[in-house]
Amino acid sequence: MKNKDSVIIVSGGMDSITLLYDMHERIALGISFDYGSNHNAREIPFAKEHCERLGIKHVVINLDFMPQYFKSSLLDGADAIPEGHYADDNMKSTVVPFRNGIMLAIAAGIAESNGLKYVMIANHGGDHTIYPDCRPEFIASMSEATKNGTYPGIEILAPYKDITKGDIALRGKALGIDYSRTWSCYKGGAVHCGKCGTCVERKEALLYAGLEDTTEYEEARR
């Protein structure tokens, strides 16, 4: 444990699971947030599974107030999720206002409470245009705030902030990650829908990395 200096926000999706394996030697604690989205129940079990596999303690923090006070299609049921690519304007409806800011603030408090120094988050370059709280300038500002607002100077590490999801998939390929044990779909059904922005992005990333896509998609069932 002497080399463990970080907590990680781990959703159970491709990006955070890749970062979990990439940095596991430094990670003391994996934190998942249940904020009432359509897909939390599908992805959090994967976060738990991979943390356990790596011998990393995993906790789930309930943010069930968010659907009551926050406006986002991500919190309004599967039928509210738009279909299409992240480049499409309609995907902006999936933004949960300041979600990462809330999660990072909580994670920073947990890091300080456990004698740790860093909070890791797996936002990537493709997130920047649609999600304001994934952009490098936000992460830098938030890190400055947590550094100034904690006794040990907690810092936020976002190693993937300047690379694409395809690049992350390449990293996962090198690490031997089984991406079938991750979840992406925002609709949160029995299987991936194959049509929402996260499903489209998942397909493109796996193709880019030359990985066989073994994800079960709803569209393939028809």
Side-chain angles (χ1 to χ4, degrees), residues 36-53:
S37 75
N38 305 316
H39 62 300
N40 276 161
R42 300 292 298 164
E43 63 179 359
I44 290 176
F46 286 126
K48 181 176 185 291
E49 174 185 317
H50 288 287
C51 282
E52 287 179 348
R53 185 173 296 165

Side-chain angles (χ1 to χ4, degrees), residues 5-219:
D5 60 5
S6 305
V7 302
I8 184 173
I9 297 174
V10 56
S11 68
M14 287 179 62
D15 309 326
S16 64
I17 294 302
T18 304
L19 185 59
L20 181 73
Y21 279 85
D22 210 357
M23 299 289 190
H24 72 275
E25 292 182 352
R26 293 181 58 177
I27 297 169
L29 178 66
I31 306 172
S32 296
F33 291 94
D34 186 350
Y35 56 95
S37 75
N38 305 316
H39 62 300
N40 276 161
R42 300 292 298 164
E43 63 179 359
I44 290 176
F46 286 126
K48 181 176 185 291
E49 174 185 317
H50 288 287
C51 282
E52 287 179 348
R53 185 173 296 165
L54 292 169
I56 294 170
K57 183 180 178 181
H58 177 254
V59 298
V60 179
I61 295 178
N62 195 328
L63 301 178
D64 58 1
F65 65 89
M66 292 181 74
Q68 184 178 355
Y69 299 106
F70 288 60
K71 181 62 179 174
S72 170
S73 63
L74 207 61
L75 307 175
D76 288 339
D79 291 341
I81 300 296
E83 295 179 352
H85 197 277
Y86 268 125
D88 300 335
D89 284 342
N90 65 347
M91 289 306 295
K92 289 182 180 178
S93 76
T94 63
V95 173
V96 179
F98 209 63
R99 176 187 61 181
N100 283 350
I102 294 166
M103 294 178 180
L104 287 166
I106 294 170
I110 291 173
E112 180 170 11
S113 297
N114 285 273
L116 302 170
K117 185 68 167 57
Y118 302 99
V119 175
M120 295 185 180
I121 186 170
N123 60 300
H124 62 79
D127 291 329
H128 298 171
T129 57
I130 188 169
Y131 297 117
D133 57 358
C134 285
R135 295 171 184 163
E137 55 267 34
F138 170 77
I139 297 297
S141 297
M142 195 70 186
S143 184
E144 189 69 16
T146 58
K147 186 176 180 179
N148 289 327
T150 56
Y151 277 116
I154 304 296
E155 296 180 49
I156 297 168
L157 302 181
Y160 298 159
K161 68 183 186 300
D162 296 317
I163 65 174
T164 68
K165 196 179 190 79
D167 295 324
I168 293 173
L170 278 173
R171 182 63 185 152
K173 182 180 182 179
L175 291 166
I177 296 172
D178 178 6
Y179 282 126
S180 72
R181 306 303 299 167
T182 63
W183 185 266
S184 298
C185 183
Y186 272 170
K187 294 194 177 187
V191 297
H192 286 70
C193 76
K195 296 179 180 179
C196 70
T198 47
C199 281
V200 172
E201 188 185 50
R202 180 186 181 94
K203 291 177 181 179
E204 291 178 345
L206 293 172
L207 180 64
Y208 178 86
L211 285 165
E212 180 184 0
D213 190 350
T214 57
T215 310
E216 185 178 3
Y217 295 105
E218 185 179 273
E219 57 190 8

